[in-house]
Amino acid sequence: MLSKRTKAVARSRRSGRPGLERLETRAVPAVFNISPSADAASLRTTIAAALVNEDASDTINLGTGIYRFGSTNNGGTPSAGQIRIDIPAGLTLTIVGDGASSTSIDAAKLSRVFEIVGQGSVVFRNLSIVKGKTFDGGSLGSARALGGGLLIEGSSVTLDHVTVSSNVATGAVAPGGLVIPGAGGRDAAGGGLYLASGSVTLVSANFSVNSAEAGSGIKGANASADGTTPGVKGKAGLDGITGADGL
């Protein structure tokens, strides 16, 4: 015969109700694949989607082909303008191609290729970054032209078997107008890559045919617009300073 205590325990177990246990929220690493027929607009959209997953390491796989800015391959939207990657701390985004000679991200000299901002990490692997061109300093707000291929501000970037080629940072020509003496041209640095802050790791990376070109100064004016200043020609402005071509 069961004791009162045993009966009480049995009744408690029979009357117990199943409950739900709250599990912690976890972001799952995602893999994105972009068709070789897509253009750089698809790459831009996919990067934005990957960055939503802020707690994971995400990978974007590119096929063999050229992802060209301004291209309308496969009905894509023209994508002139740099690709900006705002990478938060704790996130690693990896962009992988089929090889530096097979997969290219080509800005077609329409803009800088990538501006990478934030405290996270970006890895480029087995691809080429080519034909970027810039006249400005991106989010830094600098009057200098910085990083035709890549401009990095605070992020950790790895170039693993990547070719950075045919990119240019071109300093702006001095502002026009009646200036006495002439105004100086803008500086340029880092045709292929400019590291403002953060870090860059190179693993069998290749930099070639990148350039940083200084802007030209403007000649001084002969006289002021209202004629009150004598017509003595001002001195010509100095050309901007040309920086390192590759890095």
Side-chain angles (χ1 to χ4, degrees):
M1 190 170 182
L2 297 175
S3 66
K4 291 183 179 180
R5 181 177 182 278
T6 303
K7 289 180 180 179
V9 171
R11 283 197 302 270
S12 175
R13 288 177 178 172
R14 285 197 301 270
S15 63
R17 296 180 180 179
L20 296 177
E21 180 182 356
R22 184 180 297 274
L23 301 177
E24 64 176 305
T25 302
R26 293 183 180 179
V28 178
V31 177
F32 302 83
N33 299 300
I34 305 179
S35 167
S37 63
D39 62 7
S42 298
L43 177 56
R44 185 192 309 276
T45 301
T46 304
I47 288 174
L51 293 178
V52 173
N53 197 355
E54 295 183 355
D55 296 326
S57 297
D58 300 320
T59 299
I60 298 174
N61 292 318
L62 306 180
T64 297
I66 302 174
Y67 296 78
R68 181 175 288 118
F69 285 28
S71 172
T72 54
N73 295 343
N74 201 30
T77 303
S79 55
Q82 69 174 12
I83 295 177
R84 176 175 164 132
I85 301 178
D86 289 273
I87 191 83
L91 176 63
T92 297
L93 175 65
T94 302
I95 302 175
V96 184
D98 278 345
S101 61
S102 300
T103 303
S104 295
I105 303 171
D106 183 347
K109 295 299 176 72
L110 295 174
S111 69
R112 176 188 293 111
V113 188
F114 288 104
E115 181 175 10
I116 305 172
V117 181
Q119 302 301 311
S121 301
V122 178
V123 178
F124 295 96
R125 180 175 295 129
N126 300 333
L127 53 81
S128 293
I129 297 171
V130 302
K131 296 182 182 178
K133 186 173 185 177
T134 188
F135 297 94
D136 61 44
S139 299
L140 295 173
S142 172
R144 298 187 298 163
L146 303 174
L150 301 102
L151 173 58
I152 302 167
E153 303 158 42
S155 310
S156 297
V157 176
T158 298
L159 302 180
D160 182 358
H161 290 81
V162 168
T163 293
V164 179
S165 179
S166 302
N167 301 286
V168 58
T170 302
V173 175
L178 297 174
V179 182
I180 301 176
R186 304 302 190 187
D187 301 341
L193 181 153
Y194 187 86
L195 177 65
S197 59
S199 65
V200 175
T201 301
L202 304 179
V203 181
S204 297
N206 177 43
F207 286 76
S208 64
V209 202
N210 300 294
S211 62
E213 302 170 355
S216 300
I218 191 171
K219 293 181 179 179
N222 288 331
S224 62
D226 60 7
T228 59
T229 302
V232 178
K233 190 171 184 177
K235 296 180 181 179
L238 300 175
D239 288 345
I241 300 172
T242 298
D245 291 338
L247 295 175

